[in-house]
Amino acid sequence: MRAGSPFPTPNTVPLKDPKDFTLLGRSIPHLDIPDKVKGTARFGLDVRLPGMVYAVVAQCPYFRGDLLRFDGTRAKAIPGVLEVFDIPTDPNSTNKNTREVAVVATNTWAAIQGRNALAIEWKPGQYHDESTESLTAQLRAGLDAQEYWNSTNTTLNPDTVPAAKRIESIYEFPFLAHATMEPMNLTIRLEAGRCEIWSPTQAGRETQETAAKILGIDKRDVTVHVTFMGGGFGRRFGVPFDHQALQIARRIQHPVQLVWTREDDFTHDRYRPACMHRLRAGIDQEGNLVSWTDRIADTTIIGQRDPRQAQAYELGGALDQPYPVQHFRISYVPVESGVTRGAWRGVEIAFNVLSVECFIDELAHLARQDPYLFRRRLLENAAHPIAPRSNFDGTLADPARMIHMLDLVTEKAGWGKPLSPNRGRGIACFFSKTTYLAQVAEVTVDGGNLHVDRVITVVDPGRVINMNGIRAQIEGAVLMGLSAALKERITVKNGMIQQQNFNTYDLLRMPDAPQLETYLVEDGRPPGGIGEPPLALIGPSVGNAIFAATGKRLRKLPFQLNEVSS
């Protein structure tokens, strides 16, 4: 465009015909892969600056506990340890009295050994007696407590309207850690009134604003270099490691790199919420949904600050389930916990969609109908819903597209073909962020052993930008979701997290990985979301496959074959 020329208006710009695209819709190699394979890519922990020192922080192991007293004498005697001092746990909090202890050294090993040598005592907080058992009891009590919020399309109680058959089930989900391969870290240099930060962050602007606020400088004097990150998944939004690093940097006269150990990362994470669903439904003689109630009790993320916002952020996949119901009601109860919660890939859809899609399977079994055909028939009826319910983001699923996804995935999976003994297929479908998905999983259950053999996923994400990137997102999400469904669980005892490393927090391993088949349906719609939606289906598709193989319905994550059904 020539200098001084007016900008064209959007409705007059000639757009390139899709047949002439040279990048969009193609499989474009990621430019960072060669450096990562060769080990030359620079992650946050790889940052090195002239004169840099290293820091670790001793943090209270108790939820909302505090520092009682400490003696840094023995820590300072460790070779390489430079300074030991306490800092506020949260410099932005109105309570400035809660403290933790920073140890600064010439290398990370000396800093860690110095921290280990601290004579330190902690004061338990108000949640000192919290445990997994007490939280489970609270969640179950929440299923019958006074609801905080509800959404309904009827003036009647769905649980009491006439129905030919009824069913009730409770689904239970634990806290989960992020377990990123690179622990939390941040590197800071303060010089001549300016702040320079190197961070593997998911929120560079927020890091800049936090630094300006804590240091009392203009944010234009803060530069944030976003490095590669060894896993994010919603963990790298800065709290509390950015607060710690900034306070340490302000105290010392050197560039400093704050490093969390693996144990720090597991015991001071921002965990995915624990949750329970109690679903009740009634069907008529033809298997149509007459009634549906879903009571959700969970340790909400947003609700930590304002429970009134929970319905807007944490009911996706439940409030907007796509199946037409004559009498529908969903209600919510927040449950208090000392466990810090935060974003975890997919967040609410990771457990809400499992509850809905496994319960739909239960209803198909109650109606003595094939799970695929049962869903298909319900969605055909959804073309003229009795009372449309708005999705939490204002977008409604197109039933015809959902049906197309189901038809395609069953075709690719060979849905009607018989399987050998001890094997089963399960199906699930979902719509989120304008992306449509369906999935079939095949499992083998041999005695007490479970193996997921094959996972077929079809996705309609709208316009495809990078085919290679989309496939990577889908398959990575499937494996992460499978790990959560089969392996992962955070437990609590005496107001503390129990899992401290990978020896007590199990993850999916390479021999556990199934054969993955991914099919994309491209159309002219605007691009939809792809980072989170694929994670939601693997749990219910596997759970439904386990039922098909064994006749046993598992309703508690992680799935355990010896689970006693509720």
Side-chain angles (χ1 to χ4, degrees), residues 194-195 208 212 217-223:
R194 293 187 57 82
C195 174
Q208 181 190 42
I217 62 178
D218 193 293
K219 70 178 183 180
R220 289 173 294 185
D221 293 325
V222 179
T223 300

Side-chain angles (χ1 to χ4, degrees), residues 194-221:
R194 293 187 57 82
C195 174
E196 201 167 3
I197 297 173
W198 290 260
S199 176
T201 179
Q202 293 178 253
R205 184 175 63 182
E206 287 78 0
T207 298
Q208 181 190 42
E209 292 172 349
T210 297
K213 182 176 181 180
I214 290 177
L215 298 174
I217 62 178
D218 193 293
K219 70 178 183 180
R220 289 173 294 185
D221 293 325

Side-chain angles (χ1 to χ4, degrees), residues 97-112:
N97 296 320
T98 57
R99 317 288 287 181
E100 46 201 24
V101 180
V103 179
V104 182
T106 56
N107 57 77
T108 53
W109 181 250
I112 293 168

Side-chain angles (χ1 to χ4, degrees), residues 119-379:
I120 192 165
E121 293 182 55
W122 300 104
K123 177 183 177 182
Q126 67 185 93
Y127 299 96
H128 63 89
D129 57 351
E130 187 167 305
S131 67
T132 294
E133 292 74 21
S134 68
L135 281 165
T136 299
Q138 284 181 261
L139 289 166
R140 284 197 174 269
L143 300 179
D144 292 306
Q146 177 64 41
E147 63 191 31
Y148 193 90
W149 174 90
N150 74 73
S151 177
T152 185
N153 68 351
T154 179
T155 58
L156 302 177
N157 179 354
D159 294 336
T160 62
V161 298
K165 295 180 180 179
R166 291 191 173 279
I167 193 173
E168 174 183 315
S169 293
I170 294 174
Y171 287 84
E172 182 177 344
F173 306 88
F175 291 113
L176 294 183
H178 291 83
T180 60
M181 291 297 100
E182 179 191 26
M184 302 302 107
N185 64 90
L186 199 76
T187 303
I188 298 179
R189 177 166 59 197
L190 299 180
E191 195 171 75
R194 293 187 57 82
C195 174
E196 201 167 3
I197 297 173
W198 290 260
S199 176
T201 179
Q202 293 178 253
R205 184 175 63 182
E206 287 78 0
T207 298
Q208 181 190 42
E209 292 172 349
T210 297
K213 182 176 181 180
I214 290 177
L215 298 174
I217 62 178
D218 193 293
K219 70 178 183 180
R220 289 173 294 185
D221 293 325
V222 179
T223 300
V224 178
H225 305 281
V226 179
T227 68
F228 284 119
M229 63 183 74
F233 318 123
R235 177 65 185 104
R236 298 186 187 273
F237 286 109
V239 179
F241 44 91
D242 55 357
H243 297 167
Q244 295 170 341
L246 287 160
Q247 293 180 93
I248 295 168
R250 187 167 55 181
R251 172 77 176 256
I252 64 176
Q253 302 301 311
H254 301 276
V256 61
Q257 183 175 94
L258 172 70
V259 177
W260 279 29
T261 64
R262 181 65 59 194
E263 289 76 13
D264 294 332
D265 221 27
F266 268 114
T267 56
H268 292 85
D269 201 346
R270 294 295 187 263
Y271 306 90
R272 194 190 78 176
C275 173
M276 277 191 190
H277 278 253
R278 183 186 63 205
L279 294 122
R280 294 170 173 163
I283 57 175
D284 62 19
Q285 294 290 355
E286 288 73 41
N288 298 308
L289 283 173
V290 173
S291 66
W292 179 287
T293 60
D294 187 355
R295 164 59 65 88
I296 302 173
D298 90 339
T299 53
T300 168
I301 300 171
I302 300 297
Q304 292 175 98
R305 301 183 296 275
D306 183 1
R308 291 171 297 179
Q309 296 186 41
Q311 67 268 23
Y313 291 91
E314 296 178 43
L315 301 184
L319 176 62
D320 52 322
Q321 66 93 343
Y323 306 104
V325 185
Q326 186 174 356
H327 300 281
F328 173 92
R329 181 182 177 89
I330 185 170
S331 57
Y332 168 79
V333 172
V335 171
E336 181 60 28
S337 170
V339 177
T340 51
R341 287 89 71 192
W344 189 98
R345 189 176 186 178
V347 195
E348 75 287 345
I349 63 173
F351 39 77
N352 292 344
V353 174
L354 187 146
S355 301
V356 169
E357 283 298 300
C358 284
F359 194 57
I360 283 289
D361 239 56
E362 292 196 58
L363 288 164
H365 181 70
L366 184 68
R368 300 182 181 277
Q369 295 181 20
D370 176 89
Y372 152 55
L373 296 177
F374 182 75
R375 286 173 170 80
R376 197 183 197 287
R377 186 177 54 77
L378 291 178
L379 289 167

Side-chain angles (χ1 to χ4, degrees), residues 345 457 459 469-479 518 520 530 534:
R345 189 176 186 178
T457 309
V459 181
I470 286 181
R471 289 183 183 279
Q473 287 284 350
I474 293 168
E475 294 177 0
V478 167
L479 293 174
T518 304
L520 297 181
I530 202 65

Side-chain angles (χ1 to χ4, degrees), residues 426-438:
I427 192 169
C429 61
F430 179 49
F431 168 78
S432 175
K433 302 183 187 333
T434 73
T435 293
Y436 294 83
L437 311 96

